[in-house]
Amino acid sequence: MSFGSASLKSVAQGALLAAAALVLTAPLAVAVTAPEIARSDRAEARLHADVDAIAPGEPATLALEIRHAGGWHTYWRNPGDSGEPTSIRWSAPEGVEIGPIEWPAPIRFLASGIMSYGYKADTALLSSIAVPEDWPIGVPVDVTADAVWLVCSDELCIPEQQSFTLRIPTSPTPFADPAAAALVSASRSAQPAEAGVAARWIANEEAFALDLALPELASAKDVVFLPYDWGVIDHAAAQSVTTTAEGVRLTTERGDGPATGPVGGVILAVDDSGAEPASIALAIEASPAPDGAPPPALGAAAGGAGGGGPGAGGPGVGLALGPFGAGAAGVALAALFAFAGGLILNLMPCVFPVLALKAVSLAKHGDADPRERTAQGLAYGAGVLASFLAFAAALLALKAAGASVGWGFQLQSPLVVAALAYILFAVGLNLSGVFEMPSSYAGVGGSLAARDGATGSFFTGVLAAVVASPCTAPFMGAALGYALTQSPATTIAVFAALALGFAAPIMLLSASPALARMLPKPGAWMERFRQALAFPMYAAAAWLLWVLGGQVGVDALFAALIGLVLVALAAWALGVGKPASVAGRRVAGAVAVAALIGALFALTPAIEDDGAAPARAAQSAADGGTGAPSQPYSPDGLAALQAEGRPVFLNVTADWCISCKVNERLVLGGESFRSALEGADAVYVKGDWTRRDDEITALLERFGRVGVPLYVVYPADGSAPEVLPQILTGDIVQGALRAAAR
């Protein structure tokens, strides 16, 4: 009897404890079972916990569930050739630990040679959560997840984000949320299983091989390796499987990124040996093969079905070499193209005012010693050469660091755009006679374009090279695109040839007495002409501020305009201080320094994007900057149009590219272009490179270019695309569209 009473008493105590726990946690459980939802026409996302109440010291799981609308997808941890992985930034109380994302096995998307990895079906990204054992029972755990995901269709990609908050109650024992627990279980079952076998990798400049002790893969279908890190392999290239003594060797083409130390990834395959084909997903980590192992050979992988992109031996390889070919002859031809492009670059409107300044300076010293004029020409050439070689060195360094950059990349930085606007505005004020830099400042660049002598000539060359950077001349784009795919020595040689071509007219004018005699005689007209040249400088500064407004929005633009006022104040202080007393000059100098410091502080908002740029870019993409409607460029969108059999006119442009804007105004902005598009049933696609965009950089590289503009016409029958000249005419565009429609 006493034993039964004790048992009943224990049962009653347990029931009371359980009831108390339910009463304490029930009001808070609502926050877990009814999570916030981020809902759009493209996807729904919500954050779950697999428990209604968590027990300190017991494991639990958080799940970011993403449900995709039809035709939309998101990306895996390595998105492949395009896309961005979903990211989650967690905030939790001190002592609470949240693990990294546990990724389900992805699928592959191949479009126009672009291979990406991700999810089309509904999915859940899991992260473990651990609460310390000494966490007070009854005190909830507040967790915040700032999630960002890129959701794409075949036509466009849209970034989405949401900050989710969960309040998870605590109790002595965990209480499961059945629906969330089922979601977590399904996601875990979709994650790749650990292979648990030895794996080795070996690579050379062309191929990547993976040796696996998995002989069963020899009979499987569609065996592919998806690395965790970008650049280990060429994602779009075919992959072949051969039998080895230990198992199988999977071989594919080498990627552009580093492959050092352990290489992890997922093996995907299909086993059709049973009644129903079964998907295989295995997580592997491969160590480097020992020294002396035989290097891989591409073999069957070289021309397999996965190719089609530049890394797979497709059209991009030939386009990278362009008309130049390989070897010394190719380098010489590229240098010749660069020299011709440099000559033509002198005709660009952004460069002309600077060159006119130099010509006026030479005319002013027409009767001087020929050796002095020659020295000025050589100093100008040295400034140009130093600037172009500095550009080349910066491009090589950034590419070696893994960045995707091209010609004019510095103008993708709002800070550089604003600073260049300040410089051109200051040069304009100097030309207008507002100030003259004291000679003591000449050594640091002082009155760049207006100072006489070798110093002024050198900095005129520097300024001319800087203001030429938004422009790409005929011959120049193909030469630089080739140069940046070759060795550093070739890159430097081609950039040097470009600099020599750009500097040649002024150097020749300086060194030739016959040409010098053709210059007009010095007179009062020179001062008036010098003042008139200030207005193109002001116009260039205004244009750069327009570019800045498109990059960072109106608030940062206003700050830059305040900085411009302070630059004018500094120039005025220098101007009024020059003839004043020593005390007056000191006051003026102090005002100038303070104004310049204020101008530098005004530049800082240009570093941040205030959100106006995406809206403006979207509007720009919607109308193409012309009278013809356009679609924004994306690899998937372009592939979808080609799959429909539609001709495509692709315009890769940037707000800071003067050549682009001239073409859009004179050729692509008229009714004739719209009619040509309609007559060919063609779609106008615009890629905006005003701000850094790795997808557009990759597109330029695929066609052997390092800068904009790039005009490509894709035929309706899927044949090789036609690259148009960088200077367009109506006949060129209309003829290309007619040919593409056949």
Side-chain angles (χ1 to χ4, degrees):
M1 179 72 67
S2 61
F3 176 80
S5 299
S7 299
L8 288 173
K9 184 178 180 180
S10 299
V11 170
Q13 288 175 341
L16 286 172
L17 285 172
L22 285 172
V23 170
L24 287 171
T25 59
L28 298 176
V30 175
V32 178
T33 56
E36 302 167 78
I37 302 175
R39 187 178 279 119
S40 72
D41 295 336
R42 301 164 291 277
E44 288 186 4
R46 67 191 77 193
L47 184 66
H48 302 272
D50 67 346
V51 291
D52 278 340
I54 191 170
E58 297 290 330
T61 304
L62 302 172
L64 178 65
E65 180 188 14
I66 301 179
R67 298 181 179 180
H68 304 90
W72 295 88
H73 60 265
T74 54
Y75 291 92
W76 187 50
R77 58 183 293 177
N78 173 9
D81 290 331
S82 66
E84 289 290 335
T86 299
S87 64
I88 308 173
R89 188 178 66 200
W90 297 100
S91 299
E94 185 177 356
V96 176
E97 296 183 357
I98 300 179
I101 294 176
E102 302 169 20
W103 299 86
I107 62 174
R108 306 197 304 162
F109 322 121
L110 179 64
S112 188
I114 303 297
M115 180 67 75
S116 300
Y117 310 140
Y119 311 100
K120 290 186 176 180
D122 298 344
T123 190
L125 307 180
L126 309 184
S127 294
S128 63
I129 179 172
V131 177
E133 292 184 0
D134 59 356
W135 189 273
I137 298 298
V139 176
V141 178
D142 292 324
V143 175
T144 299
D146 294 319
V148 179
W149 59 96
L150 183 67
V151 57
C152 297
S153 69
D154 291 338
E155 298 177 357
L156 75 160
C157 289
I158 298 175
E160 297 184 350
Q161 61 184 9
Q162 179 70 31
S163 181
F164 300 95
T165 300
L166 285 181
R167 169 162 284 191
I168 310 174
T170 55
S171 70
T173 57
F175 290 89
D177 178 337
L183 177 73
V184 168
S185 177
S187 178
R188 281 227 165 83
S189 66
Q191 292 175 13
E194 293 292 336
V197 298
R200 297 285 185 271
W201 67 267
I202 187 170
N204 56 25
E205 292 183 356
E206 296 181 348
F208 177 92
L210 194 63
D211 290 326
L212 301 166
L214 291 169
E216 58 269 28
L217 289 181
S219 59
K221 294 172 53 181
D222 303 324
V223 182
V224 291
F225 170 59
L226 280 57
Y228 291 144
D229 298 318
W230 180 88
V232 173
I233 64 172
D234 181 340
H235 303 293
Q239 302 187 20
S240 65
V241 177
T242 55
T243 303
T244 65
E246 294 77 20
V248 296
R249 166 170 280 198
L250 187 150
T251 307
T252 187
E253 294 189 22
R254 182 79 171 83
D256 295 329
T260 57
V263 171
V266 174
I267 299 291
L268 299 181
V270 175
D271 180 6
D272 61 354
S273 59
E276 294 289 337
S279 297
I280 300 172
L282 299 174
I284 62 101
E285 183 170 300
S287 303
D291 293 341
L298 286 176
V317 172
L319 286 166
L321 291 176
F324 307 114
V331 176
L333 185 58
L336 182 61
F337 269 53
F339 185 87
L343 284 173
I344 299 172
L345 199 58
N346 286 282
L347 303 177
M348 296 298 171
C350 49
V351 183
F352 174 76
V354 180
L355 300 184
L357 278 175
K358 193 63 215 166
V360 169
S361 176
L362 292 173
K364 182 178 178 181
H365 297 86
D367 297 330
D369 186 340
R371 289 177 297 181
E372 181 182 342
R373 290 199 311 272
T374 302
Q376 285 196 37
L378 292 174
Y380 171 83
V384 171
L385 183 62
S387 300
F388 277 91
L389 293 183
F391 291 155
L395 285 168
L396 289 172
L398 290 169
K399 281 188 167 291
S404 297
V405 293
W407 178 253
F409 73 95
Q410 68 275 19
L411 291 174
Q412 293 176 331
S413 165
L415 191 61
V416 172
V417 171
L420 187 55
Y422 283 14
I423 291 172
L424 293 181
F425 184 65
V427 171
L429 293 173
N430 179 272
L431 296 175
S432 294
V434 175
F435 76 104
E436 294 290 342
M437 286 293 287
S439 59
S440 58
Y441 296 151
V444 293
S447 150
L448 301 176
R451 181 171 171 78
D452 296 328
T455 300
S457 296
F458 179 87
F459 283 112
T460 300
V462 172
L463 183 63
V466 169
V467 299
S469 59
C471 301
T472 304
F475 302 106
M476 172 183 160
L480 296 187
Y482 164 83
L484 288 174
T485 64
Q486 307 302 307
S487 67
T490 298
T491 302
I492 295 296
V494 173
F495 268 82
L498 175 66
L500 292 175
F502 185 59
I506 292 295
M507 293 177 67
L508 186 61
L509 190 63
S510 303
S512 171
L515 291 175
R517 284 194 292 269
M518 297 174 61
L519 292 172
K521 298 299 181 183
W525 68 270
M526 298 180 67
E527 182 61 24
R528 295 288 177 264
F529 184 62
R530 177 178 181 271
Q531 293 173 358
L533 288 175
F535 293 96
M537 295 298 179
Y538 297 142
W543 162 68
L544 286 167
L545 290 173
W546 172 77
V547 173
L548 179 68
Q551 289 177 324
V552 295
V554 68
D555 289 343
L557 176 60
F558 177 72
L561 288 169
I562 293 298
L564 217 62
V565 173
L566 293 172
V567 169
L569 174 61
W572 172 80
L574 289 173
V576 300
K578 184 175 182 182
S581 64
V582 173
R585 287 196 296 271
R586 288 176 179 173
V587 172
V591 171
V593 170
L596 289 175
I597 292 174
L600 291 175
F601 276 106
L603 282 178
T604 54
I607 302 173
E608 300 177 357
D609 191 334
D610 70 350
R616 183 186 175 281
Q619 178 62 34
S620 176
D623 62 17
T626 73
S630 73
Q631 296 183 11
Y633 168 77
S634 73
D636 290 346
L638 179 60
L641 292 172
Q642 291 182 274
E644 293 175 9
R646 300 283 300 277
V648 176
F649 185 95
L650 173 63
N651 170 17
V652 185
T653 182
D655 284 347
W656 40 259
C657 170
I658 294 179
S659 305
C660 306
K661 295 306 174 187
V662 170
N663 284 330
E664 289 173 6
R665 173 71 64 178
L666 299 181
V667 180
L668 305 181
E671 185 61 34
S672 59
F673 177 59
R674 180 193 288 267
S675 300
L677 288 170
E678 293 174 352
D681 190 28
V683 180
Y684 183 27
V685 175
K686 182 180 177 185
D688 190 345
W689 207 46
T690 302
R691 294 296 299 268
R692 178 186 170 95
D693 188 313
D694 290 343
E695 285 188 349
I696 294 179
T697 304
L699 174 68
L700 292 169
E701 291 175 348
R702 194 174 310 140
F703 285 95
R705 296 292 176 85
V706 294
V708 291
L710 171 66
Y711 306 106
V712 184
V713 176
Y714 292 83
D717 60 7
S719 57
E722 179 185 1
V723 180
L724 303 186
Q726 291 170 309
I727 303 299
L728 295 178
T729 66
D731 290 342
I732 290 174
V733 171
Q734 293 165 28
L737 286 172
R738 283 195 298 269
R742 293 178 188 146

